[in-house]
Amino acid sequence: MTLIKKTALTAAAVLATFAVTGTAQATKWPSGPVTMLIGYKAGGGTDTKGRVLAKILARELGQRVNVINRPGGGQAVALEGFKNAKPDGSTFFFGAVSGITLNPQINSALKFQVEDYVYAGGLTEFQVSMVAPKSAPFNDMAGFVKFAKEKGGVKYASLSPGAKIIMQAIAKQEGIKVDYIPTKGGRGMVQLVISKQVDFAYSGGIQSRYPDQIKTIAAVSTKRLGNYPDTPTLDELGYKGVAMDAPTVVAFPKGIDPAIVAKMEKALKVASTDPAMIKISKAIKMPIVYMTASQAKDLTHSSKAAIAKMLKAIDYKQQ
């Protein structure tokens, strides 16, 4: 046998060994409790749905799934540490894709990028909107702008960097003064709106739980929202380049075994049709939009490009 043939056979044997080892690791996964990392405070839409998802995944994977909330910076705090987590499947991230695609583009201090994670799929979509107290003396963006100018300025609840940027773009275009009131998550935003401590706010969709106290003024997404088909988008209203869709994704740190990703992808598919998931999705009005691992990966890259275009359009300077 020639040296070349021997070398080829040896290489093939090594690759086969790696394949068998990887399959064995995935078969054993998870061998213990798994952690679901959420970048928002408990009580918001992501957390509410995440906890239902955790129970379904526990059943499908055969191990307990613990939910850990690590809020701050529009999920940046959670993602910064998650980047360096051991890629053994013991921890995964569940949250809005904007935390991954937007944050690094507006904050130079953040060291994570879209490419630092492996995506196992997507499950749902936030109904991103601009909202106000039900008693506010305006019902649309034109009325809001008039109100802001007459009042001399407004207070705005901002629960993420993206939410602040959107309002900054609107304020710049309309020439209105805005005081930004930061809040960690949807629950904090709701409290500020209902108590009328703010005049206006960005919401991921949690406002639908309070129809008698909060009203939806405009959709922030690229298309009209499924839960609010009669509510125009900011783009339709003349605010170009500020749309920001917010589907949720499940991600692992880079270096994860592809077989583990495939196993999670399969579990997410089951979760998307589970009665408990359908029930909570209807209750909090956050539609299920299932994505495969491949679709979720493509989404993160296209979202990153769209956000870069938006930031350029509003002449945003990275902090």
Side-chain angles (χ1 to χ4, degrees), residues 6-241:
K6 287 182 178 179
T7 303
L9 288 172
T10 300
V14 171
L15 289 174
T17 300
F18 279 141
V20 171
T21 301
T23 301
Q25 290 176 342
T27 300
K28 294 178 181 178
W29 180 83
S31 58
V34 180
T35 296
M36 174 192 288
L37 180 63
I38 292 179
Y40 293 115
K41 291 178 66 175
T46 306
D47 178 75
T48 299
K49 199 159 210 177
R51 290 177 186 275
V52 174
L53 174 60
K55 292 180 180 179
I56 297 172
L57 293 180
R59 182 192 69 209
E60 294 300 309
L61 300 176
Q63 289 287 350
R64 185 170 71 252
V65 177
N66 300 314
V67 177
I68 298 296
N69 299 87
R70 195 164 295 159
Q75 304 177 97
V77 172
L79 287 162
E80 187 81 345
F82 180 61
K83 172 188 172 181
N84 298 315
K86 191 174 181 179
D88 57 2
S90 61
T91 303
F92 67 91
F93 170 83
F94 174 65
V97 70
S98 57
I100 302 171
T101 56
L102 170 68
N103 285 328
Q105 298 194 64
I106 62 175
N107 186 346
S108 60
L110 298 178
K111 302 306 178 185
F112 63 85
Q113 296 292 334
V114 165
E115 297 76 17
D116 290 320
Y117 310 106
V118 177
Y119 305 93
L123 187 63
T124 186
E125 187 171 53
F126 288 88
Q127 302 291 281
V128 286
S129 313
M130 304 304 278
V131 303
K134 191 76 171 182
S135 60
F138 54 84
N139 296 304
D140 52 28
M141 287 302 296
F144 163 70
V145 171
K146 180 181 179 182
F147 169 79
K149 290 182 176 179
E150 292 177 348
K151 188 176 179 181
V154 291
K155 291 183 178 179
Y156 173 77
S158 174
L159 55 82
S160 69
K164 186 174 182 179
I165 287 173
I166 291 168
M167 190 67 246
Q168 287 176 328
I170 294 172
K172 180 178 179 181
Q173 182 171 325
E174 297 292 356
I176 57 178
K177 180 182 177 182
V178 178
D179 287 330
Y180 298 94
I181 311 299
T183 178
K184 293 182 179 180
R187 174 178 285 184
M189 178 279 296
V190 165
Q191 292 173 344
L192 289 174
V193 173
I194 290 178
S195 63
K196 300 179 185 178
Q197 294 181 62
V198 296
D199 304 294
F200 209 51
Y202 169 98
S203 173
I206 194 173
Q207 79 275 9
S208 61
R209 301 189 206 177
Y210 308 89
D212 297 328
Q213 297 169 290
I214 302 176
K215 55 187 174 184
T216 302
I217 305 299
V220 179
S221 55
T222 58
K223 59 187 182 301
R224 292 206 178 193
L225 300 170
N227 291 338
Y228 305 97
D230 297 325
T231 301
T233 66
L234 289 176
D235 185 80
E236 291 175 317
L237 295 171
Y239 302 102
K240 303 298 182 181

Side-chain angles (χ1 to χ4, degrees), residues 247-294:
T248 57
V249 294
V250 167
F252 289 102
K254 184 169 62 176
I256 191 76
D257 186 335
I260 292 178
V261 175
K263 198 167 184 179
M264 176 63 85
E265 179 185 39
K266 182 178 179 181
L268 289 173
K269 178 64 175 177
V270 173
S272 71
T273 59
D274 188 278
M277 184 58 65
I278 293 173
K279 181 179 180 179
I280 191 61
S281 296
K282 289 182 177 179
I284 65 177
K285 298 186 183 299
M286 191 181 289
I288 294 174
V289 181
Y290 172 75
M291 289 183 288
T292 64
S294 177

